[in-house]
Amino acid sequence: MKYLKSLVIVLALLLVGCGSEIETNMSKQVKEFEFTTQDNNSLSSEDLKGNWWIADFIFTNCETVCLPMTFNMSKLQDKMKEEKLDAQLISFTVDPDRDTPEVLKEYAEGYEADLSNWTFLTGYDFNTIRDLSIDSFQSLLAAPPAGTDQVTHGTSFFLVNPEGKIIKSYSGIEDEVVDVIIDDLKKVL
């Protein structure tokens, strides 16, 4: 018994000392999807297998939280290039009726998005994206209240591993989110 306790303590110390793991706060598999990109191509969850990716939920005529979220995603993309970190960025629109591929492409250009690793997705109905947001990402999504066109949605960024499992969420509107995600990507890539 004494030997077993010593072994457990040594293993625990080794695991703590590794430093290659990130602190996770989620463990949820992304449900399969296949949607339309800003370039009118198809992108599926299967296409993303084998890649680390960061996801968020935005819409192009958002008057509040999408502005800092998309700005932070743009900063994240720039920082990933500087650090030579290879991960995909995925922005799902929560207003698919308005946000056509053409509208999303123009929106992406407004943020100088490099579309080689940042994809904007549409091509589904509102119920489909609501179900994906709530069921897979555990993120609120509700249709606009009467008299407005502003969709209610969560403000998180989500880190998804190469097996398609969401392992961590971050506040997408906080300035420091970029550095935190970069630190995490350095540990897993």
Side-chain angles (χ1 to χ4, degrees):
M1 189 64 161
K2 185 177 182 179
Y3 174 76
L4 184 58
K5 284 182 183 179
S6 296
L7 182 61
V8 168
I9 290 170
V10 168
L11 287 175
L13 289 173
L14 285 173
L15 288 174
V16 168
C18 282
S20 65
E21 294 295 317
I22 63 172
E23 185 178 320
T24 63
N25 58 17
M26 288 187 76
S27 179
K28 192 80 173 151
Q29 192 69 33
V30 176
K31 290 187 177 181
E32 290 186 16
F33 64 83
E34 183 170 354
F35 299 142
T36 304
T37 71
Q38 73 284 335
D39 293 320
N40 244 331
N41 295 320
S42 176
L43 183 78
S44 70
S45 51
E46 190 61 33
D47 295 330
L48 292 167
K49 290 265 168 89
N51 294 296
W52 285 91
W53 49 288
I54 295 98
D56 71 349
F57 294 84
I58 52 95
F59 63 110
T60 62
N61 76 318
C62 178
E63 298 171 354
T64 57
V65 296
C66 299
L67 302 168
M69 289 175 68
T70 307
F71 179 74
N72 283 339
M73 193 70 89
S74 179
K75 282 183 12 185
L76 176 60
Q77 184 178 51
D78 291 344
K79 190 77 171 177
M80 286 169 49
K81 278 184 191 175
E82 285 175 28
E83 300 285 343
K84 296 182 177 26
L85 297 170
D86 185 22
Q88 299 295 308
L89 305 175
I90 306 294
S91 290
F92 297 92
T93 180
V94 296
D95 190 2
D97 292 337
R98 180 187 308 257
D99 289 342
T100 64
E102 297 76 23
V103 169
L104 288 173
K105 188 158 192 165
E106 185 177 321
Y107 183 76
E109 289 168 357
Y111 284 92
E112 299 179 359
D114 177 352
L115 299 177
S116 67
N117 75 323
W118 187 356
T119 305
F120 293 78
L121 293 176
T122 190
Y124 38 78
D125 61 29
F126 181 78
N127 290 336
T128 298
I129 195 61
R130 183 190 64 214
D131 291 348
L132 182 70
S133 180
I134 293 170
D135 296 343
S136 290
F137 293 87
Q138 300 176 327
S139 184
L140 168 73
L141 181 52
T148 180
D149 62 358
Q150 297 297 295
V151 178
T152 302
H153 64 94
T155 59
S156 294
F157 288 0
F158 300 92
L159 179 61
V160 184
N161 73 15
E163 292 77 42
K165 183 184 274 189
I166 306 156
I167 62 167
K168 191 165 184 179
S169 68
Y170 310 82
S171 172
I173 57 174
E174 300 295 327
D175 290 338
E176 64 274 0
V177 70
V178 171
D179 292 332
V180 174
I181 294 173
I182 290 294
D183 287 345
D184 284 348
L185 286 174
K186 285 178 178 179
K187 292 174 184 174
V188 298
L189 292 175

